[in-house]
C-alpha cells in the first residue's frame, strides 16, 4: 500500500486520518479498528502490514492496527445551515499550522475542504461534500480534523496520535454531509476528542475517538 502525495497532512507526510483509514482497510477484519501512528506516515512509499504492524521498506514501524471494541459515543449532529455558519468561523482560514492539509487545508482546492468552526457549546461543525471517488479512507479522513480543531488554537499545534473509527456506511459521491467534533478532555500534551459524520438524511455514517498530541 502507498499513501499518495496528494493525501498529505503536514507537508511531507500523510494526513493522519486518511493514512489510518488506508492502514485499517489493508489490515482487514470487521468492526471498529484503532490505529496508532508511531511516526508521520511517509508519502509515496511502499508500506506493508503484517500482524497489525505497518512498516516501511527499511522495517521501521509506522503504525499499529488493532480491533477497537465498541465505539458507541457520538457527537450530536447539527443541521446544514448551522454547519455552514460554523465553517465561516473556521480558525484555519486565518491561521493554519498545515495549510495544505488534504482534509482541512484552505490552500487545497483539490482537498476535502472540511473547515470545522466552533459552536456555542464548544463542539465543532462543518459541511462536507463527498468527492466523486469515495472509500473507507475518505470517511476516516473526514472524522480526523474536526476533532483536532476542537483543541487546536493559534500557536498551539497538535498532531493525530491515535484514532479508532467505526464506519457504518459510505456517503454517495457528491452527498452533502455534516461532521461534528467535540473535545472531551486535555491531559498534559494529550487531547481526547470524538467526531461523528452524518449523511444528507441525518443518518450516522461514522464515528471516531482520537488522541491528539501537542507538538
Amino acid at each position: 500500500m502507498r499513501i499518495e502525495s496528494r493525501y498529505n497532512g503536514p507537508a511531507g507526510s500523510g494526513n493522519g486520518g486518511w493514512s489510518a483509514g488506508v492502514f485499517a482497510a489493508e489490515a482487514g477484519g470487521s468492526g471498529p479498528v484503532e490505529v496508532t501512528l508511531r511516526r508521520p506516515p511517509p508519502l509515496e512509499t511502499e508500506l506493508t502490514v503484517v500482524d497489525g504492524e505497518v512498516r516501511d521498506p527499511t522495517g521501521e514501524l509506522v503504525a499499529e492496527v488493532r480491533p477497537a471494541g465498541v465505539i458507541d459515543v457520538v457527537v450530536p449532529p447539527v443541521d446544514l445551515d448551522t454547519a455552514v455558519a460554523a465553517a465561516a468561523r473556521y480558525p484555519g482560514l486565518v491561521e493554519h499550522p498545515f495549510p495544505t492539509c488534504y482534509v482541512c487545508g484552505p490552500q487545497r482546492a483539490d482537498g476535502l475542504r472540511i473547515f470545522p468552526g466552533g459552536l456555542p457549546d464548544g463542539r465543532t461543525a462543518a459541511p462536507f461534500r463527498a468527492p466523486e471517488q469515495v472509500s473507507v479512507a475518505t470517511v476516516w479522513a473526514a472524522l480526523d480534523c474536526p476533532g483536532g480543531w476542537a483543541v487546536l488554537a493559534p500557536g498551539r499545534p497538535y498532531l493525530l496520535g491515535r484514532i479508532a473509527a467505526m464506519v457504518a456506511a459510505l456517503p454517495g459521491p457528491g452527498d452533502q454531509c455534516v461532521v461534528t467534533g467535540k473535545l472531551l478532555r486535555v491531559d498534559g500534551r494529550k487531547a481526547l476528542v470524538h467526531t461523528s459524520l452524518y449523511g444528507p438524511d441525518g443518518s450516522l455514517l461514522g464515528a471516531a475517538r482520537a488522541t491528539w498530541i501537542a507538538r
Side-chain angles (χ1 to χ4, degrees):
M1 60 186 162
R2 178 187 296 262
I3 306 300
E4 298 177 27
S5 58
R6 69 182 299 251
Y7 300 117
N8 69 284
S13 62
N15 170 266
W18 177 273
S19 302
V22 171
F23 300 157
E26 184 71 15
S30 60
V33 175
E34 180 180 270
V35 177
T36 301
L37 301 176
R38 295 303 184 187
R39 54 168 288 202
L43 299 171
E44 300 297 346
T45 302
E46 289 297 330
L47 303 172
T48 58
V49 56
V50 177
D51 295 332
E53 294 185 342
V54 179
R55 295 185 181 273
D56 69 11
T58 71
E60 184 176 355
L61 183 64
V62 175
E64 295 172 312
V65 185
R66 67 175 188 177
V70 177
I71 299 176
D72 57 1
V73 178
V74 300
V75 184
V78 298
D79 58 55
L80 180 59
D81 287 346
T82 299
V84 169
R89 301 187 294 271
Y90 174 46
L93 296 174
V94 178
E95 181 178 338
H96 198 302
F98 315 114
T100 62
C101 174
Y102 170 70
V103 177
C104 66
Q107 295 181 14
R108 287 294 299 275
D110 64 337
L112 297 185
R113 297 186 68 80
I114 299 176
F115 298 156
L119 299 173
D121 63 4
R123 287 179 295 161
T124 63
F128 164 51
R129 186 171 294 280
E132 289 304 308
Q133 294 185 336
V134 176
S135 67
V136 169
T138 307
V139 175
W140 280 70
L143 291 169
D144 177 15
C145 298
W149 282 101
V151 68
L152 279 161
R156 189 178 62 178
Y158 279 74
L159 290 173
L160 182 68
R162 175 178 295 150
I163 181 170
M166 175 278 296
V167 179
L170 299 182
D175 276 359
Q176 182 64 74
C177 304
V178 167
V179 60
T180 52
K182 181 180 181 180
L183 172 65
L184 272 70
R185 65 178 182 271
V186 175
D187 183 10
R189 295 176 55 241
K190 297 181 179 181
L192 179 63
V193 303
H194 284 168
T195 50
S196 297
L197 176 66
Y198 296 91
D201 61 354
S203 61
L204 180 68
L205 300 180
R209 61 174 183 262
T211 301
W212 286 67
I213 311 295
R215 296 181 66 189

